[in-house]
Amino acid sequence: MLKIITMICFLIFATNESIGQKFDFGLSSRMLVSQVDGDNLTGFRKLGYEVGVLGGYSFRDRSSLIVRQSFSNIGSKSSGITVDKDDYVIEFDLFIASLDLGYSFTLLSDWEEVSLLNLTTGIKFQRIISNNSILTYNSFREDLPIDINNLKSWSQSVFIGISKRISKRFLANLEYNQGLTDLNNDEDLFSKKLKPYYFSFGLQFDL
């Protein structure tokens, strides 16, 4: 589904000559540190990655619409923490495909109108491709507090980031992502909420 939507967006811009003059492509590669609210762990110990392809359509001097297809590894990780009796911790390890729809505003440009500093924000539509999470539960009870194998496949998050041009074709990026969707598929009102959030930093290459 994500690939179909992305291909439609790219084809619309790429096949229209007048629009294509204002449309730019790029590749991105980032490292990220993540955490999941509700896993009973603290700190950003999970180191992951994100790779993707993106396009931007400039519709004003300083404004652009952004479409990005990316794949990332997010989650959480313990540091040898001791689990108390009748308590649990979850080490999330999720591989996710994302479609980002965003808006970019140029804060600073040079005399040739090349953007030097950009602020970007938008929404992510995410799908879990694989789930290798581990639940550690210190109890003799048979009923698990959370079924980590029954997470919601689709989720949404919002992001805000800043990018700085460091050469003609490369930009350095820093971004924060906050999950909006509770990944826990348990519909019980008292069930634990699971919402991932993470920081990413890396490079973008303009094609």
Side-chain angles (χ1 to χ4, degrees):
M1 181 64 178
L2 289 176
K3 292 182 179 179
I4 294 175
I5 296 175
T6 304
M7 288 299 298
I8 291 174
C9 293
F10 276 86
L11 286 173
I12 289 174
F13 290 117
T15 56
N16 188 312
E17 182 177 356
S18 62
I19 294 180
Q21 295 174 357
K22 298 182 179 181
F23 195 75
D24 299 316
F25 290 97
L27 304 173
S28 65
S29 177
R30 303 178 183 180
M31 299 296 292
L32 56 87
V33 287
S34 57
Q35 179 57 278
V36 178
D37 187 22
D39 59 7
N40 282 354
L41 296 172
T42 59
F44 291 86
R45 297 189 179 90
K46 174 66 175 179
L47 183 64
Y49 63 87
E50 179 181 272
V51 293
V53 59
L54 67 152
Y57 170 60
S58 301
F59 62 94
R60 289 181 181 175
D61 291 341
R62 292 179 175 269
S63 299
S64 300
L65 295 177
I66 304 297
V67 178
R68 180 172 60 190
Q69 169 78 72
S70 62
F71 298 90
S72 57
N73 173 235
I74 67 171
S76 55
K77 187 176 181 180
S78 70
S79 59
I81 188 173
T82 301
V83 182
D84 296 332
K85 182 176 175 55
D86 293 328
D87 205 356
Y88 69 93
V89 297
I90 305 174
E91 294 181 275
F92 281 99
D93 187 3
L94 306 174
F95 183 61
I96 292 178
S98 302
L99 175 65
D100 305 354
L101 302 178
Y103 167 77
S104 178
F105 180 76
T106 300
L107 299 173
L108 181 65
S109 60
D110 62 13
W111 63 276
E112 292 182 337
E113 297 300 322
V114 176
S115 60
L116 301 178
L117 190 66
N118 303 310
L119 180 67
T120 305
T121 186
I123 187 168
K124 283 178 175 283
F125 300 92
Q126 301 170 310
R127 186 176 187 274
I128 297 178
I129 303 299
S130 67
N131 175 12
N132 298 307
S133 305
I134 299 174
L135 170 67
T136 302
Y137 186 32
N138 185 8
S139 176
F140 292 106
R141 296 174 57 184
E142 295 184 358
D143 55 321
L144 297 176
I146 295 177
D147 185 0
I148 59 173
N149 296 314
N150 188 31
L151 302 179
K152 292 177 181 176
S153 298
W154 290 89
S155 63
Q156 293 81 42
S157 67
V158 291
F159 65 89
I160 184 169
I162 191 166
S163 60
K164 184 180 187 304
R165 188 169 297 279
I166 56 177
S167 70
K168 183 178 180 180
R169 291 187 176 273
F170 282 96
L171 293 92
N173 298 305
L174 176 65
E175 188 174 282
Y176 173 72
N177 290 262
Q178 174 62 57
L180 299 176
T181 304
D182 176 17
L183 297 182
N184 192 352
N185 217 12
D186 189 347
E187 298 182 354
D188 189 339
L189 293 177
F190 299 99
S191 63
K192 194 72 172 181
K193 306 299 181 184
L194 303 173
K195 293 185 178 181
Y197 54 99
Y198 58 93
F199 291 93
S200 63
F201 49 93
L203 294 175
Q204 174 183 319
F205 176 73
D206 289 341
L207 299 176

